Amino acid sequence: MAQDMRPYVVVVIIQVIYTGMFVLSKAALDEGLSPMVFLFYRQAVASAVLVPLTIGVKWRTSSKLSFMVLFKIFMLSLVGITVGLNVYHIGLKYTSETVASAAFNAIPVITFFLAFLLRMETLKIRTSHGIAKAIGVLFCLAGVVIIAFYVGFTIHPLNHHRLFQPKNGGQSASHSQGEWVKGTFLLFFANTAWSLWLVAQGLILKECPSKLLLTTLQCVFSTVQSFIVAIAFERDFTKWKMGFDVRLLAVVYCALCNAGISWYLQAWVLQVKGPVFVAMSNPLAIVFTVFAALIILGETIHFGSILGGILTVAGLYCVLWGKNKESKIINSSDENAKSRNMDQEVIVPIDERVVPVDERVVPIDEGVSPDHVSPQKL
């Protein structure tokens, strides 16, 4: 029983880690940390941890990669990490951690939609699973629109003292309607980049079978790329300074706990329970984030964010249900085909040659017609 419960405990731990990423990232950005500088420090710390580990474990056993494969990994890092996370941090700065956790649940839906456009997925609209996947995509789009344009009533926090108070120069937690709309669509644009990253990563893994080597190369490439972006957009070097505050805590936490521990635990759950089980646990991050915002952080939450998050989660479950039902139908048809092949009788071809009869001559009584020969005499 304890072993059966381990995957459930692990997915809860993973979602708690993601909740910490949403909360600490938002607090660090409100503290005045530049989104570009944040990404550079985060990837630099992750690279400093992964490079020695990869050299010690996989350097001698890994095969050499061609220039084309390295170029593909470089572009993969540019789209999924450098562009995706920079846009994510900017969107998070203009919205809230609740919106970020709600948008996080749209990644499987967006990934399915991109895979459908690339003809890696099918959508049979006349079947129940096809209708479920289509409804899931529509629910996800409706959730984005509601989060962006509908505010609704405000849910006041139970704790009226913010855990992380922005210092002078830090950004307040309140934002204008224009910033909120822009931040919402930036978050979902970042999720689209991550979804494209996931689809392309599955293809590149066929050419680079080592997951650890692929992760390390992406961290190294994204560190160089994010440094160039940070230098280009953040010329005020006073914002590069780090102190012993929430900004440093967010950088270390995102580099070690999110990119290290959670990825390892997620790989273990994927191996034991499969990707559907992991994806179905993602809505827990919304529950934990709302709890943290209301009780621990002392922040207000808009009803529109919760309603949009519910629609996004509903879209997620519709797509997952459709995918699961489609897989069962395919597996059942394959098993039936195998069963029919096994049950078919093996037809042995008849040799058309005349089988020789016993060459012994049976004497026939004289005067008796051959038509009246008795069986006993034959």
Side-chain angles (χ1 to χ4, degrees):
M1 180 65 69
Q3 291 183 352
D4 294 338
M5 292 299 296
R6 282 189 303 175
Y8 297 91
V9 175
V10 170
V11 293
V12 172
I13 295 174
I14 292 173
Q15 298 307 321
V16 170
I17 292 175
Y18 279 132
T19 302
M21 179 191 70
F22 298 139
V23 171
L24 290 176
S25 298
K26 176 61 176 175
L29 294 172
D30 287 345
E31 191 76 14
L33 180 61
S34 169
M36 290 79 172
V37 176
F38 182 21
L39 178 60
F40 165 67
Y41 282 144
R42 168 180 171 172
Q43 294 306 111
V45 173
S47 299
V49 174
L50 288 175
V51 168
L53 180 63
T54 305
I55 293 175
V57 176
K58 288 290 183 180
W59 183 259
R60 295 182 179 179
T61 58
S62 299
S63 58
K64 294 182 179 180
L65 302 178
S66 64
F67 174 78
M68 185 55 64
V69 175
L70 290 174
F71 177 74
K72 291 178 181 179
I73 297 175
F74 180 86
M75 295 304 298
L76 185 68
S77 306
L78 180 64
V79 174
I81 300 178
T82 304
V83 175
L85 286 179
N86 268 317
V87 174
Y88 163 78
H89 288 152
I90 297 173
L92 179 60
K93 187 174 183 179
Y94 289 144
T95 54
S96 68
E97 59 273 13
T98 305
V99 177
S101 62
F104 178 70
N105 290 277
I107 292 179
V109 182
I110 299 173
T111 303
F112 161 75
F113 185 69
L114 290 176
F116 170 73
L117 294 179
L118 295 174
R119 297 184 178 181
M120 299 173 64
E121 285 282 353
T122 59
L123 183 62
K124 298 179 180 179
I125 202 63
R126 295 184 178 180
T127 60
S128 58
H129 56 82
I131 295 174
K133 290 190 285 188
I135 292 175
V137 173
L138 294 177
F139 275 0
C140 181
L141 295 176
V144 175
V145 174
I146 288 178
I147 291 175
F149 297 103
Y150 178 66
V151 177
F153 61 87
T154 301
I155 303 176
H156 296 285
L158 300 178
N159 176 21
H160 296 282
H161 300 282
R162 289 174 57 88
L163 181 62
F164 302 108
Q165 287 287 349
K167 297 179 181 179
N168 294 331
Q171 186 171 346
S172 175
S174 60
H175 305 281
S176 64
Q177 182 65 25
E179 289 179 338
W180 189 271
V181 172
K182 179 171 65 175
T184 301
F185 283 101
L186 285 176
L187 284 175
F188 280 89
F189 178 82
N191 288 335
T192 304
W194 287 344
S195 300
L196 184 61
W197 175 65
L198 291 173
V199 173
Q201 191 170 210
L203 300 176
I204 294 180
L205 275 172
K206 298 178 182 179
E207 303 178 76
C208 179
S210 174
K211 298 180 181 64
L212 179 60
L213 180 60
L214 177 61
T215 303
T216 303
L217 288 175
Q218 288 187 90
C219 283
V220 173
F221 286 150
S222 62
T223 300
V224 177
Q225 294 166 355
S226 59
F227 176 74
I228 296 174
V229 173
I231 287 291
F233 287 93
E234 193 56 75
R235 300 295 181 87
D236 186 5
F237 288 99
T238 58
K239 294 186 178 181
W240 289 67
K241 295 180 180 179
M242 300 291 292
F244 291 95
D245 52 16
V246 68
R247 294 176 296 177
L248 180 62
L249 177 61
V251 168
V252 175
Y253 180 91
C254 291
L256 299 182
C257 295
N258 185 47
I261 299 175
S262 67
W263 286 2
Y264 175 81
L265 293 177
Q266 185 168 288
W268 180 81
V269 178
L270 283 171
Q271 186 178 11
V272 175
K273 285 289 189 178
V276 174
F277 182 80
V278 177
M280 291 185 68
S281 67
N282 287 345
L284 289 175
I286 295 182
V287 179
F288 295 152
T289 304
V290 170
F291 176 83
L294 290 176
I295 298 179
I296 300 176
L297 300 178
E299 295 184 355
T300 58
I301 296 177
H302 302 297
F303 177 72
S305 300
I306 297 179
L307 180 59
I310 292 174
L311 283 177
T312 306
V313 172
L316 167 68
Y317 282 135
C318 285
V319 171
L320 292 178
W321 183 87
K323 287 285 296 177
N324 189 35
K325 186 174 180 61
E326 185 182 34
S327 300
K328 289 182 178 179
I329 293 175
I330 294 174
N331 294 333
S332 177
S333 62
D334 292 341
E335 291 178 359
N336 291 335
K338 292 179 181 179
S339 177
R340 285 195 300 268
N341 291 334
M342 294 178 63
D343 293 339
Q344 286 179 353
E345 294 182 0
V346 180
I347 302 175
V348 180
I350 301 176
D351 196 343
E352 296 180 353
R353 294 174 300 177
V354 178
V355 179
V357 185
D358 194 347
E359 296 180 353
R360 291 176 299 173
V361 178
V362 180
I364 302 177
D365 294 341
E366 296 180 359
V368 181
S369 172
D371 295 336
H372 297 84
V373 176
S374 62
Q376 289 79 6
K377 291 186 178 183
L378 291 177

